[in-house]
mmCIF file of all heavy atoms in Angstrom:
data_model
loop_
_atom_site.group_PDB
_atom_site.id
_atom_site.type_symbol
_atom_site.label_atom_id
_atom_site.label_comp_id
_atom_site.label_asym_id
_atom_site.label_seq_id
_atom_site.Cartn_x
_atom_site.Cartn_y
_atom_site.Cartn_z
ATOM 1 N N LEU M 1 -23.499 138.450 87.231
ATOM 2 C CA LEU M 1 -22.953 138.003 85.996
ATOM 3 C C LEU M 1 -23.931 137.623 84.991
ATOM 4 O O LEU M 1 -23.660 137.845 83.789
ATOM 5 C CB LEU M 1 -22.044 136.603 86.384
ATOM 6 C CG LEU M 1 -20.718 137.025 87.170
ATOM 7 C CD1 LEU M 1 -20.095 135.787 87.730
ATOM 8 C CD2 LEU M 1 -19.776 137.774 86.353
ATOM 9 N N VAL M 2 -25.191 137.175 85.336
ATOM 10 C CA VAL M 2 -26.213 137.020 84.391
ATOM 11 C C VAL M 2 -26.711 138.372 83.873
ATOM 12 O O VAL M 2 -26.861 138.382 82.687
ATOM 13 C CB VAL M 2 -27.407 136.216 85.095
ATOM 14 C CG1 VAL M 2 -28.641 136.188 84.214
ATOM 15 C CG2 VAL M 2 -26.925 134.682 85.361
ATOM 16 N N ASP M 3 -26.941 139.204 84.754
ATOM 17 C CA ASP M 3 -27.348 140.546 84.266
ATOM 18 C C ASP M 3 -26.433 141.272 83.378
ATOM 19 O O ASP M 3 -26.849 141.972 82.477
ATOM 20 C CB ASP M 3 -27.704 141.514 85.609
ATOM 21 C CG ASP M 3 -28.858 141.024 86.365
ATOM 22 O OD1 ASP M 3 -29.677 140.205 85.801
ATOM 23 O OD2 ASP M 3 -28.967 141.539 87.630
ATOM 24 N N SER M 4 -25.165 140.966 83.581
ATOM 25 C CA SER M 4 -24.207 141.633 82.831
ATOM 26 C C SER M 4 -23.886 140.959 81.376
ATOM 27 O O SER M 4 -23.234 141.521 80.575
ATOM 28 C CB SER M 4 -22.831 141.739 83.510
ATOM 29 O OG SER M 4 -22.263 140.416 83.655
ATOM 30 N N GLY M 5 -24.463 139.665 81.270
ATOM 31 C CA GLY M 5 -24.243 139.040 80.041
ATOM 32 C C GLY M 5 -23.084 138.077 80.025
ATOM 33 O O GLY M 5 -22.794 137.551 78.921
ATOM 34 N N LEU M 6 -22.473 137.912 81.103
ATOM 35 C CA LEU M 6 -21.214 136.968 81.112
ATOM 36 C C LEU M 6 -21.643 135.495 81.365
ATOM 37 O O LEU M 6 -21.054 134.648 81.095
ATOM 38 C CB LEU M 6 -20.312 137.515 82.218
ATOM 39 C CG LEU M 6 -19.509 138.709 81.849
ATOM 40 C CD1 LEU M 6 -18.668 139.161 83.104
ATOM 41 C CD2 LEU M 6 -18.682 138.662 80.720
ATOM 42 N N MET M 7 -22.915 135.426 82.021
ATOM 43 C CA MET M 7 -23.428 134.006 82.187
ATOM 44 C C MET M 7 -24.927 134.124 81.930
ATOM 45 O O MET M 7 -25.498 135.141 81.725
ATOM 46 C CB MET M 7 -23.191 133.581 83.590
ATOM 47 C CG MET M 7 -21.773 133.474 84.133
ATOM 48 S SD MET M 7 -21.644 132.872 85.742
ATOM 49 C CE MET M 7 -21.365 131.160 85.489
ATOM 50 N N ILE M 8 -25.412 132.865 81.525
ATOM 51 C CA ILE M 8 -26.915 132.740 81.389
ATOM 52 C C ILE M 8 -27.336 131.584 82.289
ATOM 53 O O ILE M 8 -26.531 130.676 82.791
ATOM 54 C CB ILE M 8 -27.319 132.454 79.960
ATOM 55 C CG1 ILE M 8 -26.537 131.226 79.463
ATOM 56 C CG2 ILE M 8 -26.924 133.653 79.018
ATOM 57 C CD1 ILE M 8 -27.076 130.696 78.045
ATOM 58 N N ARG M 9 -28.544 131.656 82.721
ATOM 59 C CA ARG M 9 -29.180 130.570 83.469
ATOM 60 C C ARG M 9 -29.737 129.514 82.498
ATOM 61 O O ARG M 9 -30.382 129.840 81.606
ATOM 62 C CB ARG M 9 -30.396 131.192 84.341
ATOM 63 C CG ARG M 9 -29.970 131.916 85.511
ATOM 64 C CD ARG M 9 -31.188 132.250 86.360
ATOM 65 N NE ARG M 9 -30.819 133.137 87.431
ATOM 66 C CZ ARG M 9 -30.721 134.391 87.404
ATOM 67 N NH1 ARG M 9 -31.193 135.107 86.337
ATOM 68 N NH2 ARG M 9 -30.486 135.176 88.452
ATOM 69 N N ARG M 10 -29.506 128.378 82.952
ATOM 70 C CA ARG M 10 -30.033 127.123 82.083
ATOM 71 C C ARG M 10 -30.645 126.224 83.119
ATOM 72 O O ARG M 10 -29.845 125.833 84.027
ATOM 73 C CB ARG M 10 -28.969 126.432 81.215
ATOM 74 C CG ARG M 10 -28.653 127.232 80.032
ATOM 75 C CD ARG M 10 -28.281 126.329 78.983
ATOM 76 N NE ARG M 10 -27.982 127.052 77.660
ATOM 77 C CZ ARG M 10 -26.850 127.126 77.052
ATOM 78 N NH1 ARG M 10 -25.820 126.478 77.617
ATOM 79 N NH2 ARG M 10 -26.598 127.820 76.034
ATOM 80 N N THR M 11 -31.837 125.849 82.988
ATOM 81 C CA THR M 11 -32.466 124.791 83.854
ATOM 82 C C THR M 11 -31.944 123.459 83.584
ATOM 83 O O THR M 11 -31.829 123.125 82.452
ATOM 84 C CB THR M 11 -34.026 124.908 83.766
ATOM 85 O OG1 THR M 11 -34.408 126.253 83.964
ATOM 86 C CG2 THR M 11 -34.698 123.933 84.623
ATOM 87 N N TYR M 12 -31.632 122.817 84.583
ATOM 88 C CA TYR M 12 -31.308 121.378 84.454
ATOM 89 C C TYR M 12 -32.032 120.537 85.544
ATOM 90 O O TYR M 12 -32.544 121.064 86.467
ATOM 91 C CB TYR M 12 -29.781 121.081 84.672
ATOM 92 C CG TYR M 12 -29.232 121.374 86.016
ATOM 93 C CD1 TYR M 12 -29.143 120.234 86.988
ATOM 94 C CD2 TYR M 12 -28.887 122.678 86.475
ATOM 95 C CE1 TYR M 12 -28.618 120.465 88.222
ATOM 96 C CE2 TYR M 12 -28.461 122.884 87.781
ATOM 97 C CZ TYR M 12 -28.390 121.711 88.689
ATOM 98 O OH TYR M 12 -27.859 121.869 89.968
ATOM 99 N N GLN M 13 -32.128 119.320 85.394
ATOM 100 C CA GLN M 13 -32.813 118.457 86.424
ATOM 101 C C GLN M 13 -32.200 117.114 86.460
ATOM 102 O O GLN M 13 -32.108 116.415 85.476
ATOM 103 C CB GLN M 13 -34.426 118.275 85.986
ATOM 104 C CG GLN M 13 -35.112 117.668 86.964
ATOM 105 C CD GLN M 13 -36.657 117.609 86.618
ATOM 106 O OE1 GLN M 13 -37.020 118.075 85.693
ATOM 107 N NE2 GLN M 13 -37.468 117.164 87.590
ATOM 108 N N GLU M 14 -31.814 116.810 87.675
ATOM 109 C CA GLU M 14 -31.312 115.494 87.956
ATOM 110 C C GLU M 14 -32.425 114.474 88.030
ATOM 111 O O GLU M 14 -33.439 114.844 88.584
ATOM 112 C CB GLU M 14 -30.387 115.452 89.209
ATOM 113 C CG GLU M 14 -29.180 116.389 89.203
ATOM 114 C CD GLU M 14 -28.041 115.835 88.262
ATOM 115 O OE1 GLU M 14 -28.027 114.564 88.009
ATOM 116 O OE2 GLU M 14 -27.272 116.663 87.721
ATOM 117 N N PRO M 15 -32.242 113.214 87.749
ATOM 118 C CA PRO M 15 -33.366 112.186 87.890
ATOM 119 C C PRO M 15 -33.924 112.236 89.361
ATOM 120 O O PRO M 15 -33.030 112.167 90.445
ATOM 121 C CB PRO M 15 -32.685 110.877 87.613
ATOM 122 C CG PRO M 15 -31.501 111.259 86.727
ATOM 123 C CD PRO M 15 -31.050 112.649 87.151
ATOM 124 N N GLY M 16 -35.216 112.324 89.474
ATOM 125 C CA GLY M 16 -35.781 112.311 90.796
ATOM 126 C C GLY M 16 -35.745 113.643 91.632
ATOM 127 O O GLY M 16 -36.111 113.742 92.762
ATOM 128 N N GLN M 17 -35.082 114.718 90.994
ATOM 129 C CA GLN M 17 -35.003 115.911 91.729
ATOM 130 C C GLN M 17 -35.752 117.061 91.080
ATOM 131 O O GLN M 17 -36.288 116.866 89.868
ATOM 132 C CB GLN M 17 -33.449 116.438 91.571
ATOM 133 C CG GLN M 17 -32.516 115.452 92.312
ATOM 134 C CD GLN M 17 -32.618 115.328 93.721
ATOM 135 O OE1 GLN M 17 -32.843 116.420 94.466
ATOM 136 N NE2 GLN M 17 -32.621 114.240 94.410
ATOM 137 N N ARG M 18 -35.924 118.149 91.645
ATOM 138 C CA ARG M 18 -36.637 119.282 91.139
ATOM 139 C C ARG M 18 -35.791 119.979 90.183
ATOM 140 O O ARG M 18 -34.562 119.930 90.259
ATOM 141 C CB ARG M 18 -37.164 120.140 92.228
ATOM 142 C CG ARG M 18 -36.087 120.929 92.888
ATOM 143 C CD ARG M 18 -36.733 121.891 93.957
ATOM 144 N NE ARG M 18 -35.627 122.577 94.836
ATOM 145 C CZ ARG M 18 -34.876 123.661 94.529
ATOM 146 N NH1 ARG M 18 -34.986 124.151 93.235
ATOM 147 N NH2 ARG M 18 -34.033 124.047 95.362
ATOM 148 N N PRO M 19 -36.305 120.690 89.178
ATOM 149 C CA PRO M 19 -35.533 121.509 88.227
ATOM 150 C C PRO M 19 -34.723 122.548 89.003
ATOM 151 O O PRO M 19 -35.180 123.147 90.050
ATOM 152 C CB PRO M 19 -36.503 122.171 87.360
ATOM 153 C CG PRO M 19 -37.668 121.308 87.491
ATOM 154 C CD PRO M 19 -37.762 120.728 88.846
ATOM 155 N N ARG M 20 -33.530 122.878 88.637
ATOM 156 C CA ARG M 20 -32.696 123.895 89.259
ATOM 157 C C ARG M 20 -31.998 124.742 88.103
ATOM 158 O O ARG M 20 -31.894 124.257 86.939
ATOM 159 C CB ARG M 20 -31.518 123.346 90.011
ATOM 160 C CG ARG M 20 -32.152 122.470 91.199
ATOM 161 C CD ARG M 20 -30.938 121.784 91.974
ATOM 162 N NE ARG M 20 -31.282 120.997 93.040
ATOM 163 C CZ ARG M 20 -31.486 121.344 94.228
ATOM 164 N NH1 ARG M 20 -31.347 122.597 94.528
ATOM 165 N NH2 ARG M 20 -31.967 120.489 95.199
ATOM 166 N N ASP M 21 -31.639 125.969 88.607
ATOM 167 C CA ASP M 21 -30.858 126.778 87.545
ATOM 168 C C ASP M 21 -29.408 126.404 87.506
ATOM 169 O O ASP M 21 -28.815 126.265 88.631
ATOM 170 C CB ASP M 21 -31.049 128.283 87.911
ATOM 171 C CG ASP M 21 -32.390 128.882 87.516
ATOM 172 O OD1 ASP M 21 -33.027 128.313 86.607
ATOM 173 O OD2 ASP M 21 -32.769 129.900 88.080
ATOM 174 N N GLY M 22 -28.858 126.213 86.353
ATOM 175 C CA GLY M 22 -27.461 126.134 86.190
ATOM 176 C C GLY M 22 -26.901 127.468 85.610
ATOM 177 O O GLY M 22 -27.610 128.221 85.155
ATOM 178 N N TYR M 23 -25.608 127.764 85.700
ATOM 179 C CA TYR M 23 -24.996 128.956 85.240
ATOM 180 C C TYR M 23 -23.985 128.709 84.282
ATOM 181 O O TYR M 23 -22.993 128.111 84.621
ATOM 182 C CB TYR M 23 -24.564 129.824 86.502
ATOM 183 C CG TYR M 23 -25.646 130.185 87.393
ATOM 184 C CD1 TYR M 23 -26.086 129.227 88.442
ATOM 185 C CD2 TYR M 23 -26.308 131.339 87.231
ATOM 186 C CE1 TYR M 23 -27.156 129.614 89.207
ATOM 187 C CE2 TYR M 23 -27.458 131.679 88.048
ATOM 188 C CZ TYR M 23 -27.775 130.734 88.999
ATOM 189 O OH TYR M 23 -28.883 131.115 89.954
ATOM 190 N N CYS M 24 -24.185 129.026 83.082
ATOM 191 C CA CYS M 24 -23.357 128.777 81.924
ATOM 192 C C CYS M 24 -22.740 130.040 81.288
ATOM 193 O O CYS M 24 -23.410 131.051 81.257
ATOM 194 C CB CYS M 24 -24.064 128.027 80.834
ATOM 195 S SG CYS M 24 -24.775 126.544 81.337
ATOM 196 N N LEU M 25 -21.447 130.001 80.940
ATOM 197 C CA LEU M 25 -20.760 131.160 80.443
ATOM 198 C C LEU M 25 -21.304 131.353 78.986
ATOM 199 O O LEU M 25 -21.576 130.583 78.247
ATOM 200 C CB LEU M 25 -19.235 130.936 80.362
ATOM 201 C CG LEU M 25 -18.532 130.830 81.689
ATOM 202 C CD1 LEU M 25 -17.192 130.215 81.442
ATOM 203 C CD2 LEU M 25 -18.485 132.212 82.332
ATOM 204 N N THR M 26 -21.395 132.698 78.686
ATOM 205 C CA THR M 26 -21.684 133.224 77.297
ATOM 206 C C THR M 26 -20.357 133.349 76.699
ATOM 207 O O THR M 26 -19.321 133.047 77.308
ATOM 208 C CB THR M 26 -22.411 134.528 77.296
ATOM 209 O OG1 THR M 26 -21.504 135.467 78.005
ATOM 210 C CG2 THR M 26 -23.716 134.547 78.138
ATOM 211 N N GLU M 27 -20.366 133.705 75.371
ATOM 212 C CA GLU M 27 -19.106 133.879 74.772
ATOM 213 C C GLU M 27 -18.303 135.040 75.429
ATOM 214 O O GLU M 27 -17.082 134.910 75.592
ATOM 215 C CB GLU M 27 -19.370 134.416 73.237
ATOM 216 C CG GLU M 27 -18.116 134.494 72.385
ATOM 217 C CD GLU M 27 -17.174 133.269 72.315
ATOM 218 O OE1 GLU M 27 -17.625 132.044 72.421
ATOM 219 O OE2 GLU M 27 -16.041 133.433 72.308
ATOM 220 N N ALA M 28 -18.899 136.109 75.857
ATOM 221 C CA ALA M 28 -18.213 137.118 76.545
ATOM 222 C C ALA M 28 -17.600 136.581 77.930
ATOM 223 O O ALA M 28 -16.550 136.855 78.264
ATOM 224 C CB ALA M 28 -19.135 138.238 76.878
ATOM 225 N N GLY M 29 -18.321 135.642 78.577
ATOM 226 C CA GLY M 29 -17.808 135.057 79.694
ATOM 227 C C GLY M 29 -16.662 134.193 79.421
ATOM 228 O O GLY M 29 -15.664 134.156 80.188
ATOM 229 N N ARG M 30 -16.690 133.400 78.407
ATOM 230 C CA ARG M 30 -15.645 132.524 77.939
ATOM 231 C C ARG M 30 -14.363 133.342 77.644
ATOM 232 O O ARG M 30 -13.204 132.913 77.926
ATOM 233 C CB ARG M 30 -15.975 131.538 76.860
ATOM 234 C CG ARG M 30 -16.906 130.487 77.280
ATOM 235 C CD ARG M 30 -17.126 129.426 76.152
ATOM 236 N NE ARG M 30 -17.925 129.936 75.051
ATOM 237 C CZ ARG M 30 -19.221 130.160 75.068
ATOM 238 N NH1 ARG M 30 -20.036 129.725 76.070
ATOM 239 N NH2 ARG M 30 -19.838 130.619 74.057
ATOM 240 N N GLN M 31 -14.581 134.516 76.978
ATOM 241 C CA GLN M 31 -13.448 135.393 76.617
ATOM 242 C C GLN M 31 -12.754 135.970 77.839
ATOM 243 O O GLN M 31 -11.585 136.433 77.656
ATOM 244 C CB GLN M 31 -13.904 136.463 75.701
ATOM 245 C CG GLN M 31 -14.225 135.877 74.266
ATOM 246 C CD GLN M 31 -14.607 136.885 73.240
ATOM 247 O OE1 GLN M 31 -14.629 138.165 73.631
ATOM 248 N NE2 GLN M 31 -15.086 136.514 72.117
ATOM 249 N N PHE M 32 -13.430 135.929 78.921
ATOM 250 C CA PHE M 32 -12.805 136.457 80.191
ATOM 251 C C PHE M 32 -11.618 135.653 80.646
ATOM 252 O O PHE M 32 -10.823 136.101 81.402
ATOM 253 C CB PHE M 32 -13.897 136.442 81.337
ATOM 254 C CG PHE M 32 -13.450 137.412 82.475
ATOM 255 C CD1 PHE M 32 -13.547 138.724 82.352
ATOM 256 C CD2 PHE M 32 -12.958 136.864 83.621
ATOM 257 C CE1 PHE M 32 -13.052 139.527 83.469
ATOM 258 C CE2 PHE M 32 -12.518 137.677 84.621
ATOM 259 C CZ PHE M 32 -12.637 138.982 84.558
ATOM 260 N N ASN M 33 -11.491 134.444 80.040
ATOM 261 C CA ASN M 33 -10.355 133.643 80.245
ATOM 262 C C ASN M 33 -9.004 134.436 80.112
ATOM 263 O O ASN M 33 -8.111 134.263 80.818
ATOM 264 C CB ASN M 33 -10.454 132.464 79.369
ATOM 265 C CG ASN M 33 -9.567 131.235 79.829
ATOM 266 O OD1 ASN M 33 -9.066 131.239 80.916
ATOM 267 N ND2 ASN M 33 -9.425 130.241 79.010
ATOM 268 N N VAL M 34 -9.019 135.280 79.061
ATOM 269 C CA VAL M 34 -7.823 136.028 78.739
ATOM 270 C C VAL M 34 -7.449 136.990 79.826
ATOM 271 O O VAL M 34 -6.271 137.117 80.221
ATOM 272 C CB VAL M 34 -7.990 136.869 77.457
ATOM 273 C CG1 VAL M 34 -6.817 137.732 77.160
ATOM 274 C CG2 VAL M 34 -8.286 135.821 76.319
ATOM 275 N N VAL M 35 -8.423 137.631 80.534
ATOM 276 C CA VAL M 35 -8.302 138.495 81.620
ATOM 277 C C VAL M 35 -7.715 137.664 82.780
ATOM 278 O O VAL M 35 -6.683 138.189 83.534
ATOM 279 C CB VAL M 35 -9.597 139.264 81.996
ATOM 280 C CG1 VAL M 35 -9.389 140.125 83.099
ATOM 281 C CG2 VAL M 35 -10.091 140.000 80.823
ATOM 282 N N LEU M 36 -8.392 136.607 83.195
ATOM 283 C CA LEU M 36 -7.859 135.836 84.276
ATOM 284 C C LEU M 36 -6.454 135.342 84.064
ATOM 285 O O LEU M 36 -5.647 135.440 84.930
ATOM 286 C CB LEU M 36 -8.809 134.629 84.574
ATOM 287 C CG LEU M 36 -10.125 134.924 85.120
ATOM 288 C CD1 LEU M 36 -11.007 133.728 85.242
ATOM 289 C CD2 LEU M 36 -10.014 135.559 86.459
ATOM 290 N N TYR M 37 -6.174 134.959 82.845
ATOM 291 C CA TYR M 37 -4.828 134.371 82.614
ATOM 292 C C TYR M 37 -3.777 135.501 82.664
ATOM 293 O O TYR M 37 -2.569 135.292 83.139
ATOM 294 C CB TYR M 37 -4.692 133.627 81.306
ATOM 295 C CG TYR M 37 -3.389 133.019 81.035
ATOM 296 C CD1 TYR M 37 -2.745 132.341 82.077
ATOM 297 C CD2 TYR M 37 -2.719 133.101 79.926
ATOM 298 C CE1 TYR M 37 -1.383 131.868 82.010
ATOM 299 C CE2 TYR M 37 -1.394 132.595 79.662
ATOM 300 C CZ TYR M 37 -0.747 131.946 80.724
ATOM 301 O OH TYR M 37 0.432 131.413 80.533
ATOM 302 N N ALA M 38 -4.124 136.672 82.162
ATOM 303 C CA ALA M 38 -3.281 137.805 82.187
ATOM 304 C C ALA M 38 -2.910 138.067 83.584
ATOM 305 O O ALA M 38 -1.716 138.474 83.949
ATOM 306 C CB ALA M 38 -3.840 138.959 81.427
ATOM 307 N N LEU M 39 -3.891 138.195 84.485
ATOM 308 C CA LEU M 39 -3.583 138.529 85.937
ATOM 309 C C LEU M 39 -2.743 137.359 86.561
ATOM 310 O O LEU M 39 -1.887 137.557 87.324
ATOM 311 C CB LEU M 39 -4.966 138.677 86.641
ATOM 312 C CG LEU M 39 -5.679 139.885 86.422
ATOM 313 C CD1 LEU M 39 -7.030 139.847 87.091
ATOM 314 C CD2 LEU M 39 -4.774 141.058 87.088
ATOM 315 N N GLN M 40 -3.019 136.120 86.188
ATOM 316 C CA GLN M 40 -2.292 134.953 86.824
ATOM 317 C C GLN M 40 -0.864 134.989 86.242
ATOM 318 O O GLN M 40 0.008 134.878 86.997
ATOM 319 C CB GLN M 40 -2.877 133.756 86.346
ATOM 320 C CG GLN M 40 -2.115 132.452 86.891
ATOM 321 C CD GLN M 40 -2.653 131.248 86.522
ATOM 322 O OE1 GLN M 40 -3.843 130.954 86.495
ATOM 323 N NE2 GLN M 40 -1.802 130.221 86.150
ATOM 324 N N GLN M 41 -0.653 135.301 84.876
ATOM 325 C CA GLN M 41 0.698 135.388 84.452
ATOM 326 C C GLN M 41 1.467 136.604 85.107
ATOM 327 O O GLN M 41 2.636 136.216 85.323
ATOM 328 C CB GLN M 41 0.542 135.563 82.740
ATOM 329 C CG GLN M 41 1.920 135.431 82.190
ATOM 330 C CD GLN M 41 1.705 135.477 80.621
ATOM 331 O OE1 GLN M 41 0.995 134.538 80.076
ATOM 332 N NE2 GLN M 41 2.314 136.449 80.044
ATOM 333 N N TRP M 42 0.861 137.627 85.223
ATOM 334 C CA TRP M 42 1.503 138.714 85.879
ATOM 335 C C TRP M 42 1.882 138.310 87.409
ATOM 336 O O TRP M 42 2.961 138.579 87.911
ATOM 337 C CB TRP M 42 0.529 139.998 85.862
ATOM 338 C CG TRP M 42 1.204 141.210 86.587
ATOM 339 C CD1 TRP M 42 1.960 142.123 86.062
ATOM 340 C CD2 TRP M 42 1.068 141.458 87.978
ATOM 341 N NE1 TRP M 42 2.433 143.079 86.979
ATOM 342 C CE2 TRP M 42 1.803 142.700 88.109
ATOM 343 C CE3 TRP M 42 0.441 141.020 89.036
ATOM 344 C CZ2 TRP M 42 2.000 143.294 89.409
ATOM 345 C CZ3 TRP M 42 0.484 141.563 90.216
ATOM 346 C CH2 TRP M 42 1.308 142.754 90.465
ATOM 347 N N GLY M 43 0.959 137.667 88.060
ATOM 348 C CA GLY M 43 1.146 137.293 89.484
ATOM 349 C C GLY M 43 2.415 136.164 89.524
ATOM 350 O O GLY M 43 3.168 136.331 90.440
ATOM 351 N N ASP M 44 2.332 135.213 88.588
ATOM 352 C CA ASP M 44 3.358 134.277 88.494
ATOM 353 C C ASP M 44 4.816 134.970 88.414
ATOM 354 O O ASP M 44 5.725 134.499 88.946
ATOM 355 C CB ASP M 44 3.194 133.317 87.430
ATOM 356 C CG ASP M 44 2.007 132.338 87.626
ATOM 357 O OD1 ASP M 44 1.465 132.341 88.714
ATOM 358 O OD2 ASP M 44 1.580 131.621 86.648
ATOM 359 N N GLU M 45 4.848 135.987 87.619
ATOM 360 C CA GLU M 45 6.095 136.637 87.417
ATOM 361 C C GLU M 45 6.481 137.723 88.444
ATOM 362 O O GLU M 45 7.617 137.790 88.881
ATOM 363 C CB GLU M 45 6.032 137.370 86.105
ATOM 364 C CG GLU M 45 7.411 138.063 85.708
ATOM 365 C CD GLU M 45 7.267 138.650 84.273
ATOM 366 O OE1 GLU M 45 6.479 138.314 83.460
ATOM 367 O OE2 GLU M 45 8.201 139.550 84.020
#
């Protein structure tokens, strides 16, 4: 998902912990919501 541009890595760090990678959606990833909802709506029906 990162390689495809749907997500990006962002480093975060909790107090007293080592830095870790977080995974955040890009605009393309956020727009995937339409695809998921279309499949869900179809499945519901």
Side-chain angles (χ1 to χ4, degrees):
L1 290 167
V2 168
D3 290 345
S4 70
L6 292 175
M7 297 183 96
I8 58 171
R9 282 185 186 91
R10 284 213 177 112
T11 302
Y12 71 94
Q13 185 172 9
E14 298 289 334
Q17 300 290 320
R18 67 177 174 83
R20 297 179 185 267
D21 282 337
Y23 298 87
C24 301
L25 293 166
T26 62
E27 183 59 28
R30 286 187 292 278
Q31 289 178 8
F32 197 76
N33 198 12
V34 174
V35 176
L36 286 177
Y37 185 45
L39 283 170
Q40 179 181 320
Q41 187 172 302
W42 181 87
D44 289 349
E45 184 174 338

